[in-house]
Amino acid sequence: MSETAQSRPLVILGFDAGDPVLLREWAQRGYLPTVASIMQRGCWGKTTGSELALEHGVWHSIFSGLSRAQHGCYYLRRLKPGSYDLEVVHGSDVNAPTFWASWLDGGKRVVAVDLHDIPPTPGVAGLQLGNWGIHRGWFSRAKVEQPCSVPSDLLAEVTRKFGPPIQIIEAPQADPNKNRRILGDLLRRIERKGAICRHLVQRGAPDVVAICFGESHTAGHQFWRYRAEALPPGQMDDAPFAEAIRQVYQSIDREMGLILAQLPRSANVFVLSSVGLADHYPTGGLLEDFCRQLGYQVPAKSDPIPLHPMAVARRMLPEAWRVALSRHLPREKREGLLARQFRKSTDWGKTTAFATPSPYTGFLHVNLKGREPQGIVEPGAQYEALLEQLETDLDQLIDPQTGKAAIEQVVRTAEIYGPSAPTVLPDLIVHWKSCRHFVEKVVHPRAIVTQQKPEFFRDTDHAPHGFVAAAGPAISNHGEIPDIDVLDLAPTFLALLNQTKPQEMTGEIADNLFNGAATGRRQ
């Protein structure tokens, strides 16, 4: 593409869940020359802010400039408003249009590929490919949103030229042979996606390029335990996957470099990651037992044995057998069973607070009168007192294996997202401490809280920081900069395109990037 065709495009390249510590270290050690060149030409640092309290929905916030206080996306499963039902949330259910779909002047062209959970937007000029090769975790055995494109015939064209997508499902308990297949598939898919992106950039003459690589997310979870820092001394050379994450990052870096080589040198370029990674085993069972052991969530009385023969058979089977058999059911069916168990297992008329199912970060809901169907907690003083009691009880939980507090932080949703935040959000967000062991029990002064090893058993979750590096004619700052709030990114992108920040965006232009230099029509 010649510079006369497009003088100063905005280019956003993403490592989905690319760990900021690893990105910085490997760039500085020469393993990621593309990222390193952007850091050297411009500036770099970490992203921060209330949006990073949770991993789900971060890309929505980055590309829309809208907070969870507006779009409400916080996890893939949530409590259905006005009920005790659970519902699954897909990306297309989230009302957070990208900044180019809502706020760019007409005529600007976009090339967008695999923005995680963000579907292509009809009516936008350019080329958009969605769900082609995104991270698909354990939940993805359910019905998932399929690859799609705008224009609609673009997907068929890409498939003809480059072949169908390589679907990769995260497999926490994979043996070495399966791990080798997963690593090989990740590397092949990165190379294929890079070729697709170059084709679209060459064809699309874009003003905005937004491309995410989900392979860094999958590789991080799959191979975190094998990285050198996690291995016992002397075993690094013997571990076959010690460099697997780095190999994936290097492959992504290589493809990013090839993509940038097709764009004008006058482009303003950002490399982003959404969140980082951390040692963490599942803790969801602990929070559910906490609510029951301390009397917040009251179990329902046992129903009479139903007459349906399958229901009778299920009740006669041991719990371990039922769990093993459920693994062979489609995810949609299992989600339905989980929702039914959740709804039927509680005496809602006697319950003050409860946890919705999630494997890591905990979500506590107050059974609030006027909001929940059988709410018993009065708004106002009684609600506030209950939150304080929940926080006090959580702070008293001790991990007996370490002798230290088991909880890292308890966040009141209304404090970080405002009192008018969507009612789909939980009342409290519970962050357990990162650790390298599975916590079977925690101790409270009034109870012992336990959990069994769950079906989904992974040794990683996410850390609340991402990575940002930026370079280009408009990026006047250099070197390491203070943290940037993720909600400041979309207003900054618009400023670089000479567009005014809309009132709907609560962030501001990230002055850290510009050292006070003008970037367009700034608010």
Side-chain angles (χ1 to χ4, degrees):
M1 181 190 302
S2 67
E3 295 204 18
T4 56
Q6 181 58 40
S7 61
R8 190 173 288 186
L10 171 66
V11 182
I12 307 164
L13 303 175
F15 286 82
D16 186 23
D19 186 75
V21 176
L22 297 181
L23 284 167
R24 171 183 174 174
E25 177 186 345
W26 289 338
Q28 292 177 334
R29 291 172 62 186
Y31 293 120
L32 308 177
T34 303
V35 176
S37 70
I38 295 168
M39 294 169 64
Q40 291 161 6
R41 291 191 293 116
C43 54
W44 55 273
K46 287 184 178 180
T47 57
T48 188
S50 60
E51 299 304 298
L52 296 182
L54 300 163
E55 183 264 328
H56 289 270
V58 171
W59 286 118
H60 286 292
S61 297
I62 288 173
F63 285 116
S64 71
L66 303 180
S67 167
R68 284 193 184 84
Q70 296 157 286
H71 63 67
C73 178
Y74 71 94
Y75 187 54
L76 51 78
R77 182 193 301 117
R78 70 185 181 192
L79 187 69
K80 188 175 181 179
S83 76
Y84 298 112
D85 287 322
L86 299 175
E87 62 180 1
V88 175
V89 180
H90 294 293
S92 57
D93 300 323
V94 181
N95 185 19
T98 58
F99 69 87
W100 57 81
S102 296
W103 309 114
L104 277 190
D105 290 344
K108 288 197 166 49
R109 294 179 58 80
V110 174
V111 167
V113 179
D114 276 354
L115 312 183
H116 190 69
D117 278 342
I118 301 175
T121 306
V124 173
L127 304 170
Q128 301 172 72
L129 184 65
N131 298 319
W132 187 88
I134 62 173
H135 169 68
R136 297 195 185 277
W138 66 282
F139 189 77
S140 296
R141 290 179 178 85
K143 180 180 179 181
V144 296
E145 293 174 284
Q146 298 300 312
C148 53
S149 66
V150 172
S152 58
D153 60 354
L154 177 63
L155 177 61
E157 174 193 328
V158 167
T159 301
R160 284 194 306 271
K161 287 180 176 291
F162 301 98
I166 301 172
Q167 296 293 352
I168 304 169
I169 303 295
E170 183 186 324
Q173 304 304 312
D175 61 22
N177 287 333
K178 188 166 187 177
N179 270 327
R180 276 189 285 272
R181 290 195 297 273
I182 290 174
L183 179 57
D185 285 344
L186 288 169
L187 296 174
R188 282 190 292 275
R189 193 170 79 180
I190 293 167
E191 186 176 0
R192 187 182 297 180
K193 183 186 293 185
I196 291 170
C197 292
R198 294 194 300 275
H199 169 73
L200 298 183
V201 166
Q202 186 68 28
R203 177 183 155 187
D207 301 276
V208 177
V209 175
I211 297 168
C212 284
F213 287 84
E215 294 79 10
S216 49
H217 194 156
T218 308
H221 286 313
Q222 195 69 33
F223 302 109
W224 187 253
R225 74 186 76 171
Y226 301 109
R227 74 196 194 287
E229 298 84 353
L231 295 172
Q235 289 191 16
M236 188 178 74
D237 293 338
D238 298 328
F241 304 109
E243 297 179 354
I245 298 176
R246 197 182 78 194
Q247 286 179 270
V248 169
Y249 281 32
Q250 286 178 289
S251 182
I252 293 171
D253 181 89
R254 185 181 309 112
E255 296 304 325
M256 287 181 173
L258 294 172
I259 292 166
L260 291 175
Q262 289 197 307
L263 290 159
R265 286 174 292 179
S266 59
N268 290 306
V269 181
F270 285 74
V271 173
L272 301 174
S273 75
S274 51
V275 290
L277 290 162
D279 297 304
H280 209 314
Y281 282 86
T283 47
L286 290 174
L287 194 62
E288 293 176 21
D289 198 46
F290 164 86
C291 290
R292 296 183 184 277
Q293 292 292 337
L294 294 179
Y296 294 108
Q297 188 170 358
V298 178
K301 294 181 179 179
S302 298
D303 296 330
I305 296 178
L307 298 178
H308 193 284
M310 287 300 295
V312 174
R314 280 196 299 269
R315 291 199 172 197
M316 292 176 65
L317 286 173
E319 176 67 19
W321 289 24
R322 292 200 301 271
V323 171
L325 289 172
S326 73
R327 293 173 182 166
H328 299 284
L329 296 174
R331 177 59 67 176
E332 304 97 298
K333 181 66 173 177
R334 292 155 74 187
E335 281 294 312
L337 292 173
L338 175 64
R340 184 181 186 279
Q341 179 185 11
F342 173 82
R343 186 175 62 251
K344 297 290 187 181
S345 63
T346 296
D347 186 339
W348 299 108
K350 297 179 180 178
T351 289
T352 57
F354 56 94
T356 48
S358 62
Y360 296 100
T361 302
F363 306 122
L364 284 175
H365 300 255
V366 171
N367 196 22
L368 190 65
K369 185 176 292 187
R371 186 180 67 186
E372 269 62 66
Q374 299 177 50
I376 64 171
V377 178
E378 294 285 350
Q382 188 179 11
Y383 172 78
E384 295 295 329
L386 178 60
L387 292 183
E388 290 181 11
Q389 185 59 54
L390 284 163
E391 291 168 337
T392 299
D393 282 332
L394 287 164
D395 286 342
Q396 294 181 79
L397 296 177
I398 300 296
D399 178 355
Q401 192 163 335
T402 64
K404 298 179 180 179
I407 300 297
E408 180 70 31
Q409 184 184 26
V410 180
V411 178
R412 294 195 187 192
T413 307
E415 289 184 357
I416 61 172
Y417 298 122
S420 60
T423 56
V424 295
L425 295 176
D427 296 284
L428 294 178
I429 300 170
V430 181
H431 293 289
W432 296 80
K433 280 194 174 176
S434 170
C435 63
R436 293 185 178 180
H437 64 274
F438 175 61
V439 181
E440 294 184 1
K441 68 177 180 180
V442 291
V443 179
H444 185 275
R446 302 197 309 275
I448 295 178
V449 177
T450 64
Q451 68 172 351
Q452 295 180 342
K453 181 178 177 180
E455 173 200 351
F456 175 62
F457 194 70
R458 191 180 69 192
D459 55 4
T460 50
D461 195 32
H462 294 287
H465 288 285
F467 176 83
V468 57
I475 309 300
S476 55
N477 214 340
H478 289 83
E480 187 172 5
I481 58 175
D483 294 352
I484 293 178
D485 193 302
V486 295
L487 290 178
D488 291 344
L489 290 170
T492 302
F493 297 151
L494 286 174
L496 290 168
L497 294 164
N498 200 34
Q499 305 288 297
T500 303
K501 179 180 83 74
Q503 292 183 347
E504 287 83 350
M505 292 184 182
T506 57
E508 300 295 336
I509 294 170
D511 288 324
N512 288 347
L513 298 171
F514 308 111
N515 213 12
T519 59
R521 289 182 287 173
R522 302 177 63 179
Q523 293 286 89

